[in-house]
Amino acid sequence: MKGGKPLVGEVTVSGAKNAALGILAASVMTDEDVRIENLPDVRDINVMLDAIAEIGARVSRLDAHTVVINGGPIDECCVESENMKRIRASYYLIGALLGRFCTANVPMPGGCDIGSRPIDQHLKGFRALGADCRIVNGKVLADAERLRGSHIFLDIVSVGATINIMLAACLAEGRTIIENVAKEPHIVDVANFLNSMGAEIKGAGTDVIRINGVKRLHGTVYSIIPDQIEAGTFMFAAAITKGDILVKNLIPKHMEAISAKLIEMGCEILEFDDAIRVVGTERLRAANIKTLPYPGFPTDMQPQAGTALSLAKGTSILTESIFESRFRYLDELTKMGAEVRVEGNTAIITGVEHLSGASIQACDLRAGAALVLAGLSADGITTVSDIRYIQRGYEHFEQKLQSIGASIELAEDDRASMKFLLSAV
Ligand code: UD1
């Protein structure tokens, strides 16, 4: 890509990847047709759909964003798919299969390498519901005679554990109360989806979720909410490139922590019913940012924010409080001229006026997106390798960026990179 040009125009946000992953897993909990709309067309979603098909569900992809799933023919609670080991949300099939069939055999989850990511809170929840859970040869084996509602207090606010326990508890006998739960928008979306299938879940979006177990779930038609993190990434794209972007198809309430920081950094934010316009400023101002569970500043926006701070006037303190190793992208930014010192879970960033183009590597999904934005603001040419990470979670990222003026190409090989280099000089 060739940087230095403000990104200007309109961009439309796709469906929420992390909501979709929970919803796809939940859709195997009935033997009736479930139609899911506004599905993002990204790699993690396709891996999940393949795994669901592999255990016997009928998966009909009507178009890139619509799928009909029928879990009636499922004859196998053992998920073998090699690809499932690479995604984080494979763990949702434990909750879904355990809820419906009282047994699950699923590979330990993978996902981005951003530090240790235990699943003890998930297992604690399943055990409280009466399941026997073991980890054997890299797989989670969960079995129960029957699941019974329980009172569960999570030790850590966990998105994955909240959704997973909610899935299993929907079909448990009696009442489950889960306390100290996560409140992210996609938790509310998965709960709304399950309720549309006949589940009785109350309190999603607050600290306590109450579930009355039902005997069975039925089919539904459901449209997934917009992706908060994709929306936030384009909002930061305006800030980082001094651009002016109207980000369409988002829920402004979900963006409050992000909008507030952008205003603090000097951007202008104009809010509409389902869109936000971000007008960048000639020079961003430094700010202190700490990641927190929702409604705090999302950890999945930390690399995009760190990239913006690397260009802001003054010194900023960026604190990552959710994951232990989510600063590796800062080494790549340093290659572009950023001035950063990392101490434990804190990065002290002194903004520079310009970044300069370099060959850098995407180290995970959100870091990859952030480094692309860095390249689009930098002087000269930047090459970001390992973009497969970005493709896991951003639909047509380079095309959406091109549509707002970015000079960026997806290069399949060295020859294509060279062609771009020659045309860009
Ligand atoms: C989900 C999202 C991820 C996002 C994260 C935090 C998906 C597929 N991924 O990941 O994009 O960055 O939420 O918003 O939706 N923890 C434990 N024990 C557990 C579970 C979690 O100690 O059993 C810890 C984790 O190590 C981490 C923290 O709790 O430090 C939060 O993790 P969690 O919210 O569970 O994140 P994920 O569900 O993995």
Side-chain angles (χ1 to χ4, degrees), residues 17-19 21 88-89 91-92 114 116-123 156-161 163 182 184 186 299-300 321-324 326 366:
K17 170 186 82 89
N18 287 348
L21 289 164
R88 187 78 197 141
Y91 53 37
Y92 291 142
I114 49 182
S116 137
R117 298 178 79 175
I119 58 162
D120 55 303
Q121 298 302 305
H122 304 233
L123 302 184
I156 289 174
V157 177
S158 157
V159 170
I163 292 180
E184 267 67 3
H186 46 289
T299 172
D300 284 358
S321 64
I322 310 286
F323 292 110
E324 63 189 23
R326 209 168 190 176
R366 306 303 172 185

Side-chain angles (χ1 to χ4, degrees), residues 24-43:
L24 290 178
S27 66
V28 307
M29 295 179 72
T30 173
D31 54 9
E32 295 179 13
D33 273 4
V34 170
R35 180 185 163 111
I36 301 163
E37 297 167 358
N38 202 31
L39 196 68
D41 187 14
V42 296
R43 197 166 286 169

